[in-house]
């Protein structure tokens, strides 16, 4: 298990998210990206390496996760 100090994390929510909640992302941490539920900010946080996050965002942009009807 990796121990990361989240006290300096600046979480941000997408401008496209509504009032129903969303995920928040903190990218200002050294070597990791933190993701949490905006409705449960004291809850669990998922941690990804910079490389994992870059690959995920690239996959989203490329449509790798689009739902097929």
């Amino acid at each position: 298990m990796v121990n990361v100090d989240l006290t300096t994390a600046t979480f941000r929510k997408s401008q496209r998210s509504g009032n129903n909640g969303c995920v928040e992302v903190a990218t200002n941490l050294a070597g990791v990206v933190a993701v949490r539920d905006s409705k449960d900010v004291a809850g669990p946080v998922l941690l990804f390496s910079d490389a994992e996050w870059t690959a995920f965002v690239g996959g989203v942009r490329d449509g790798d996760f689009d739902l097929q009807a």
Side-chain angles (χ1 to χ4, degrees), residues 1-2 4 6 9 11 22-26 33-48:
M1 177 182 249
V2 177
V4 176
L6 296 175
F11 284 91
C22 192
V23 296
E24 296 178 322
V25 178
V33 175
V35 179
R36 70 180 182 189
D37 183 345
S38 66
K39 293 180 289 187
D40 186 12
V41 297
V45 175
L46 299 174
L47 300 174
F48 300 93

Side-chain angles (χ1 to χ4, degrees), residues 5-39:
D5 180 10
L6 296 175
T7 58
T8 61
T10 302
F11 284 91
R12 59 185 169 82
K13 188 168 54 167
S14 170
Q15 293 176 338
R16 295 182 181 180
S17 64
N19 294 330
N20 296 333
C22 192
V23 296
E24 296 178 322
V25 178
T27 57
N28 66 314
L29 302 165
V32 297
V33 175
V35 179
R36 70 180 182 189
D37 183 345
S38 66
K39 293 180 289 187

